[in-house]
Amino acid sequence: MVKVKEQDIATLSLGLQQGKFTSAELTTAYLERMAFFSTPPFNVNAVVLVNPDALAEAEMLDGERQHGHVRGPLHGIPILVKDNIDVAGLPTTAGALALTNNVATQDAQLVQKLREAGAIILGKTNLSEFAHFKSDIEPSGFSVVGGQTINAIFPDLTPSGSSSGSGVAASLSLAAITIGTETNGSILAPAQANSVVGLKPTVGAWPVVGILPLAHSQDAPGPIGRTVADVATVWQALGGATTASVSDVTVLQPDETDVLAQHVVNQMMANLTSFTFKRYDAVLPPSDEADEYQRLLF
């Protein structure tokens, strides 16, 4: 059995490269781990749907590797995507009973890019129904389709949302990496609640075509993983910015009374010597939560 618990992408890629195991064997190991955590006494409800073609996809990618074609660091690496992202042939429910027959006819653009990079789509993760914007009393991590997602670290605490299943799945090593989406904290909050790493990219950095929207002005898909390195690997493999492509950085000038913030900014500027920094001294505009709420309602 391939060890997948707490294994990072670099280690898995090296194992595939050295022939210690195949992508099919790796996929089988993740599928068995997913099944283990989907039965008593755990029943974490992190995964709502398994891709029936996952093993076939893995075998195809093994064949490419055998013929000397490796697409990149994600070649043959299994991932899970949130159930508001289209995967061809699978339903995109957003956790809602009304959408259980909403079978996608084609992959979301993001899923297309993941496949092009060599990733294997293991299945779909649970979420707070309709991206946690169904009611004022909806608990984080609950959907009619997937049930209540359970926090991976402390079962009595919230898994947070709306990418609850993606956060829990990453924490429990149910896939090498997971994909969530965020409108307002829906990647960062479940990552924090389940002790993993989440990246909410700048809106527009990753495509949103084929993702059930909440607010186009704020929605962004992004990776959730066990390490910063894993998240960075996925980000770069899908064409995200790298340190090599960034030279100028603008930082907010902390209040002079905030000694800790001043120290953090000074240390950052001292250590990241390859960047040109500009200090932003203006006062940030106040947050208007009422306006944002109206936009989400719209």
Side-chain angles (χ1 to χ4, degrees):
M1 173 61 66
V2 182
K3 179 184 178 182
V4 295
K5 180 182 178 181
E6 300 178 1
Q7 296 298 294
D8 61 16
I9 291 176
T11 300
L12 296 175
S13 294
L14 183 60
L16 290 168
Q17 178 184 334
Q18 294 177 341
K20 293 181 178 179
F21 48 82
T22 65
S23 290
E25 292 170 334
L26 181 61
T27 299
T28 298
Y30 276 119
L31 290 172
E32 291 182 356
R33 188 166 175 84
M34 285 164 48
F36 178 77
F37 280 101
S38 298
T39 55
F42 302 106
N43 290 341
V44 297
N45 292 330
V47 179
V48 294
L49 183 66
V50 174
N51 178 12
D53 296 326
L55 272 176
E57 293 178 18
E59 291 169 354
M60 180 195 70
L61 290 162
D62 281 333
E64 289 187 6
R65 186 182 294 275
Q66 290 171 2
H67 288 86
H69 176 49
V70 177
R71 304 187 188 192
L74 294 184
H75 189 107
I77 298 297
I79 70 159
L80 286 162
V81 301
K82 187 176 178 180
D83 190 23
N84 61 346
I85 301 173
D86 283 348
V87 175
L90 302 181
T92 302
T93 74
L97 190 63
L99 296 179
T100 50
N101 294 320
N102 179 39
V103 177
T105 58
Q106 60 185 13
D107 289 334
Q109 286 186 359
L110 174 61
V111 173
Q112 293 174 20
K113 291 170 71 69
L114 286 166
R115 291 193 193 279
E116 290 167 3
I120 299 164
I121 308 300
L122 271 182
K124 296 285 202 80
T125 56
N126 199 13
L127 69 159
S128 307
E129 191 165 333
F130 279 127
H132 213 180
F133 206 71
K134 187 183 73 168
S135 76
D136 293 334
I137 59 172
E138 176 189 10
S140 285
F142 174 79
S143 75
V144 173
V145 171
Q148 178 62 53
T149 305
I150 306 300
N151 186 297
I153 310 299
F154 297 106
D156 292 337
L157 299 182
T158 177
S160 201
S162 64
S163 303
S164 316
S166 297
V168 171
S171 186
L172 293 176
S173 301
L174 305 189
I177 200 81
T178 67
I179 303 297
T181 65
E182 177 167 327
T183 305
N184 187 358
S186 290
I187 288 174
L188 303 183
Q192 183 274 335
N194 294 281
S195 298
V196 288
V197 180
L199 171 65
K200 192 257 180 148
T202 301
V203 174
W206 276 7
V208 295
V209 176
I211 299 177
L212 196 148
L214 178 51
H216 286 298
S217 57
Q218 293 176 222
D219 287 356
I224 301 177
R226 293 190 55 85
T227 69
V228 172
D230 282 351
V231 167
T233 295
V234 178
W235 172 244
Q236 294 175 12
L238 268 63
T242 66
T243 55
S245 64
V246 179
S247 58
D248 296 330
V249 177
T250 302
V251 296
L252 177 66
Q253 174 64 38
D255 187 277
E256 60 183 13
T257 62
D258 193 338
V259 178
L260 178 60
Q262 289 276 5
H263 175 74
V264 170
V265 170
N266 290 337
Q267 287 293 308
M268 177 183 67
M269 295 176 68
N271 287 299
L272 298 179
T273 55
S274 62
F275 296 99
T276 300
F277 286 96
K278 300 176 183 178
R279 288 183 181 264
Y280 176 70
D281 295 308
V283 177
L284 289 176
S287 173
D288 192 334
E289 294 183 359
D291 282 352
E292 180 186 37
Y293 184 67
Q294 289 301 316
R295 183 161 62 249
L296 298 184
L297 286 174
F298 177 81

